[in-house]
Amino acid sequence: MRKIALQISPEVRTAYFADYLDVAETELAQVTGFKPEEFVQFGELEFFLLNCPEERDEELLKLSFVQGLFEIGDGSYFPLNKAFEYQLHRDFVFGSKFKGKTNERLTQLLLNVGLSVIDCPVGEPIRLLDPMCGRGTTIMWGMQYGFRCKGIDREEAALEDIVRNTKKWCKVHRTKNKFERGALGDKKRRNSPRYLDATLDGQRARFVTGDARKPSEYFGSEKFNLIVSDLPYGIQHFGDGDTRNPLGLLSECAVSWREVLAEGGAVVLAFNKKQPKRGQLIAAFENAGWTANEFNAPHRMSESIVRDIVIFTS
Ligand SMILES: C[S@@+](CC[C@H](N)C(=O)[O-])C[C@H]1O[C@@H](n2cnc3c(N)ncnc32)[C@H](O)[C@@H]1O
């Protein structure tokens, strides 16, 4: 079998700091089943080496930590001229920076590990919901992957921020686009939830200003294969009311998200390990009938926050 080297993107250091190699290895194992046979460093360049058949290359190329693949022969590294074919320019995910943005590499990892556990009918588009989507990093990744995407965030300013951030890249990259705004339900009521429909080069997403606990109110009978979110950390983002701990909110979400999950679907959450504690979060979801997967990837992301990831299936 071919021996290959996966080049580790330096970008993952800004997502996971000291823990980046552990997180990368965890993603590799969860998504592909491979374990690195060796870790190799040439100066600043870093690689995992493994034996792998060519037909697995596409899977490897879309791992969130992989910058490129090399084939190894006679001790030399030959770069493979291959890349995963994303639907949009990378700037739609990476280009805009804003307060509270979830790291782009972490967000791609959340989608990848989610994809590794779901069971979805072949030929049908994957439906993704981020019920606390902020300015849409998860949703932009979903569009890159060709998913049908929906996002909810309670911040009213988010919709116009998304339009501004996205239009900028449409202009730069001459991407065909359409943005439509409106109100759900009784349009005459001043507090009807507002929505934004964005179509970028044929990729569609809807964003709603609303409450993460109420997806079926906004999307009717639509069912989602993946519910993915980076939860409020309780420091910059408050869960609800005055509380810094989003556990109460999440216990309610654990109930209402079951109603919108497609058969074979999964929930993937990134969360601040201090609040809620992993055990409390799992208990809240198990009480609502979910099963927690063993996957975890704890990593320090800042002085005060250690983040982890949990996957639930129904
Ligand atoms: C960590 S941020 C997500 C950032 C997002 N992934 C991005 O990159 O833009 C968490 C988000 O949860 C939202 N949020 C908190 N409580 C909510 C609720 N009850 N319903 C909807 N959104 C909520 C906050 O407004 C915040 O945007």
Side-chain angles (χ1 to χ4, degrees):
M1 208 186 291
R2 293 181 317 162
K3 186 149 198 158
I4 60 162
L6 305 185
Q7 186 176 0
I8 299 166
S9 168
E11 286 173 6
V12 292
R13 297 187 200 190
T14 56
Y16 315 119
F17 296 90
D19 301 306
Y20 71 99
L21 290 177
D22 288 340
V23 176
E25 209 175 317
T26 309
E27 183 188 10
L28 177 69
Q30 175 67 30
V31 176
T32 68
F34 291 125
K35 264 186 90 64
E37 285 153 32
E38 220 181 308
F39 169 70
V40 175
Q41 228 173 346
F42 302 119
E44 286 286 310
L45 306 181
E46 297 177 321
F47 303 88
F48 284 150
L49 307 194
L50 45 104
N51 287 300
C52 167
E54 206 175 329
E55 58 267 23
R56 305 291 299 272
D57 284 359
E58 184 159 318
E59 256 175 279
L60 297 172
L61 284 162
K62 75 171 201 235
L63 290 169
S64 69
F65 70 88
V66 169
Q67 184 157 32
L69 301 186
F70 293 75
E71 196 164 329
I72 303 176
D74 298 331
S76 299
Y77 286 46
F78 301 98
L80 296 178
N81 186 13
K82 289 182 175 181
F84 185 77
E85 274 190 39
Y86 295 108
Q87 301 294 321
L88 298 168
H89 193 281
R90 77 191 299 281
D91 284 347
F92 285 97
V93 173
F94 291 91
S96 302
K97 299 292 173 203
F98 46 83
K99 189 164 181 261
K101 185 175 189 184
T102 305
N103 180 277
E104 300 88 348
R105 292 286 160 201
L106 178 270
T107 314
Q108 186 181 20
L109 179 146
L110 300 181
L111 291 191
N112 287 344
V113 298
L115 286 172
S116 75
V117 299
I118 64 169
D119 191 7
C120 166
V122 182
E124 281 184 26
I126 289 175
R127 293 179 182 276
L128 167 74
L129 169 67
D130 182 344
M132 296 183 225
C133 72
R135 272 82 184 150
T137 311
T138 316
I139 302 299
M140 290 294 153
W141 267 123
M143 293 169 99
Q144 293 284 25
Y145 279 22
F147 300 167
R148 295 279 179 269
C149 304
K150 299 277 162 38
I152 305 170
D153 201 277
R154 68 179 190 176
E155 267 191 57
E156 283 175 21
L159 296 189
E160 286 316 308
D161 288 350
I162 292 166
V163 174
R164 197 174 44 255
N165 290 339
T166 312
K167 273 196 171 165
K168 180 172 66 190
W169 301 115
C170 290
K171 199 167 166 195
V172 171
H173 299 297
R174 296 171 190 270
T175 306
K176 271 179 76 176
N177 63 82
K178 192 165 152 197
F179 295 89
E180 286 180 317
R181 299 160 176 88
L184 296 172
D186 182 354
K187 295 175 181 48
K188 290 195 195 109
R189 281 181 47 198
R190 267 191 51 222
N191 57 355
S192 294
R194 314 297 303 174
Y195 70 82
L196 165 73
D197 284 342
T199 309
L200 309 175
D201 230 356
Q203 302 302 317
R204 297 204 304 265
R206 169 167 285 197
F207 300 88
V208 173
T209 303
D211 189 324
R213 291 166 283 202
K214 300 179 181 171
S216 62
E217 245 180 61
Y218 312 134
F219 307 122
S221 59
E222 185 169 357
K223 304 280 185 239
F224 298 93
N225 309 97
L226 276 174
I227 300 177
V228 175
S229 210
D230 179 30
L231 301 178
Y233 293 180
I235 289 171
Q236 277 190 344
H237 299 276
F238 299 100
D240 211 7
D242 289 334
T243 176
R244 282 177 167 251
N245 190 334
L247 191 62
L249 167 73
L250 291 166
S251 304
E252 292 182 52
C253 291
V255 175
S256 63
W257 293 355
R258 285 187 73 80
E259 291 164 22
V260 295
L261 191 83
E263 210 182 310
V267 170
V268 185
L269 303 174
F271 64 101
N272 173 358
K273 268 192 85 175
K274 271 201 193 134
Q275 46 188 15
K277 300 251 187 293
R278 187 179 174 90
Q280 293 175 320
L281 180 58
I282 289 178
F285 273 71
E286 287 185 344
N287 281 342
W290 298 86
T291 304
N293 183 290
E294 279 178 5
F295 180 86
N296 62 89
H299 54 275
R300 181 167 292 284
M301 59 163 278
S302 70
E303 196 186 338
S304 54
I305 299 178
V306 176
R307 185 168 50 191
D308 198 1
I309 297 164
V310 66
I311 304 176
F312 297 107
T313 50
S314 67

